[in-house]
Amino acid sequence: MDVVIGVDVGTGSARAGVFSLEGKKLASCVVATRSWRPQNDFIQQSSADIWEAVCKSVRTAMTELAGKTPVVRGIGFDATCSLVVLDGKGEPLSVDPQGAPEQDVILWADHRAMKEAAEINAGTYDVLRYVGGVISPEMETPKLLWLKRNMPETFVRAGYFFDLPDYLTWRATGADSRSCCSTVCKWTYLAHDKGWDDSYFEAIGLGELVEEKYRRIGDMVRPLGEVVGNGLSSAAAEDLGLTAGIPVGVSAIDAHAGGIGVLGAASGDTLDDKALNRSLALIGGTSSCHMVVSQDARYVDGIWGPYSEAMLPGMWLNEAGQSAVGSLVDFVITTHAQGPALAETAKAENRTVYEVLNERLAILEQNTLPGSLTAEFHVLPDFHGNRSPHADPTLKGMVSGLGLSATLDDLAKLYLATIQALAYGTRDIIRALNAKGYAIDTIFATGGGTKNPVFLREHANATGCRILLPQEPDAVLLGSAILGAVAGNVYDDMRSAMSQMARIGSEIAPDARTKRYHDAKFSVFQSMHQEQLRHRDLMREALAS
């Protein structure tokens, strides 16, 4: 039985999936990983802990196929775009200001480099054209600059600065190549020019990277669909419980792997550019990413990209997103006065809190327009800043419509309004993309939120787009498995593998009756953003006087 393996490292866990060559998941395993939050805006992890979780997840998943003699044709890796810092021998260097051992990973969501990002954005650097005009503190060059300024000894001692997906392929093969996906999207590598911009690094204060010819961040950058090194090393094979020499695919960022895992179903057996122009991949989780691809480079203010070769060979990628999605919904629920009681009820009934709230919403919505309980209740979801399309990490969340009541029904309405706000954020992103040449009318959705029918309903109704769900719900894992399949020559190229291994499972169509309601609420959503900016200016003037 020939199989391929996909490995996905998310914010809180490592997952492994074993797939048939047709894209059917045969076995899987999830292993939790650790995070530390030493102070506000600092989130750290351990690469050793992550690798151990990866190995355990792969070994456990493979035991489910014991007796079926699976032959692994290839393996692919994806992970969050987190910064891994190692010394010249490949040992971890702490990124914790107090030197906590083994904490050598600055998580993607870590915002310690806000000042450095702001300084970079004040410049007129050409590379900013390829990140929507504004670099994010979640990207790697601001974090490197923070590290140099605040932990100079660590910066000097570092022998490797890895994006987490590239760290995984390095651990798997020993080969120090980097992926176009991570270096283009998070490090300012210019794949269309096949190189780095020396002037940018020199101007922002990282000139030593230029002098050393980018040895520590990647002097060999390869596109998705290629093979890393000579396959799985003996040491890694022993760790993973696999056979040495298995082809390892060039890695991807987790959201991009999700795009690979769903967009293959955009147009049947052949993945054509016209269908791609109408399609958006929504990968939801703690945060969310919105992925679209085109033949030409499209510059969209506030939306990352255009990125050359970052997801599909020969195509340009635009990447939008929301910094807090699942984490925001959880925050709203757990911090509400009814949160603890709701959690106890859900536990006693062996259900999730979302199922309990959805059931209550169904009762409250009887004989009303779906979603209309929030006519006087509005949320701006930028509690962790706005990634797209405003690219402003300093924005804050807003809630309008609170009263002197904190019942379960009040929580249900706040929960619904929060989900709607996230959907309006997606609508705002689609509006910006369509203004630059896309014609998006279809959302391919995967991730945690897609398990919630209210989340799906509100996104379809708020955006006016049909939502297609993949047959394989673990589309991120499938995307990594596709990378492994191409590396193992199961398929000739990425498009072939995507179209053959991805399938549509179900469709959610927008309810036309709700259009006027959501048009009005979206107008309120936009007004709340403008009002926050106006309030900010008023207070700055007051403090300056």
Side-chain angles (χ1 to χ4, degrees), residues 203-223:
I204 68 171
L206 293 173
E208 51 270 81
L209 299 179
V210 180
E211 294 171 7
E212 65 195 35
K213 300 186 185 302
Y214 304 101
R215 172 184 53 81
R216 291 189 289 172
I217 66 172
D219 54 10
M220 183 186 300
V221 180
R222 311 183 71 172

Side-chain angles (χ1 to χ4, degrees), residues 56 72 168 204-205 215 218 280 284 296 320 344 349 358 471 520 527:
K56 183 176 180 180
V72 180
L168 297 177
I204 68 171
R215 172 184 53 81
L280 178 143
D296 55 323
E344 287 297 320
E349 297 176 358
N358 291 349
Q471 196 173 84
S527 296

Side-chain angles (χ1 to χ4, degrees), residues 450-475:
T450 62
K451 299 179 178 65
N452 185 337
V454 172
F455 183 93
L456 292 172
R457 182 193 76 180
E458 294 306 309
H459 274 71
N461 292 343
T463 64
C465 295
R466 62 173 182 156
I467 296 180
L468 300 181
L469 301 179
Q471 196 173 84
E472 173 46 64
D474 275 335

Side-chain angles (χ1 to χ4, degrees), residues 252-279:
I253 300 168
D254 53 351
H256 301 60
I260 292 167
V262 296
L263 286 178
S267 55
D269 292 337
T270 58
L271 188 56
D272 65 73
D273 294 344
K274 184 177 180 181
L276 288 171
N277 195 56
R278 298 172 50 235
S279 304

Side-chain angles (χ1 to χ4, degrees), residues 39-229:
Q39 61 192 70
N40 189 41
D41 284 338
F42 284 56
I43 316 176
Q44 298 159 185
Q45 293 186 322
S46 161
S47 64
D49 173 66
I50 290 170
W51 181 250
E52 182 179 346
V54 165
C55 295
K56 183 176 180 180
S57 67
V58 171
R59 290 195 304 267
T60 304
M62 288 297 288
T63 60
E64 294 184 26
L65 302 179
K68 297 182 180 179
T69 62
V71 176
V72 180
R73 296 282 300 275
I75 183 169
F77 293 90
D78 75 72
T80 64
C81 49
S82 302
L83 177 65
V84 184
V85 184
L86 309 177
D87 67 17
K89 296 181 180 179
E91 296 298 320
L93 288 176
S94 177
V95 296
D96 180 72
Q98 305 303 318
E102 294 195 359
Q103 294 180 34
D104 60 333
V105 180
I106 300 178
L107 191 72
W108 66 269
D110 182 293
H111 276 193
R112 70 182 68 186
M114 292 277 284
K115 177 184 176 183
E116 287 71 20
E119 289 177 8
I120 291 171
N121 287 324
T124 55
Y125 309 117
D126 190 61
V127 297
L128 297 183
R129 295 175 60 222
Y130 299 95
V131 292
V134 181
I135 204 161
S136 167
E138 297 173 7
M139 294 180 178
E140 307 299 14
T141 51
K143 290 175 180 174
L144 287 176
L145 189 55
W146 181 94
L147 198 66
K148 179 182 177 180
R149 289 175 172 177
N150 295 274
M151 302 182 69
E153 292 184 5
T154 298
F155 185 85
V156 171
R157 286 185 59 200
Y160 301 92
F161 295 116
F162 279 116
D163 214 70
L164 184 54
D166 292 324
Y167 166 79
L168 297 177
T169 56
W170 174 75
R171 281 297 301 256
T173 66
D176 184 20
S177 64
R178 311 301 171 95
S179 166
C180 260
C181 183
S182 54
T183 53
V184 169
C185 295
K186 306 301 175 184
W187 296 73
T188 73
Y189 182 77
L190 303 173
H192 56 285
D193 286 338
K194 300 190 184 304
W196 301 94
D197 184 339
D198 294 352
S199 64
Y200 168 70
F201 286 95
E202 291 167 346
I204 68 171
L206 293 173
E208 51 270 81
L209 299 179
V210 180
E211 294 171 7
E212 65 195 35
K213 300 186 185 302
Y214 304 101
R215 172 184 53 81
R216 291 189 289 172
I217 66 172
D219 54 10
M220 183 186 300
V221 180
R222 311 183 71 172
L224 295 181
E226 291 194 359
V227 183
V228 178

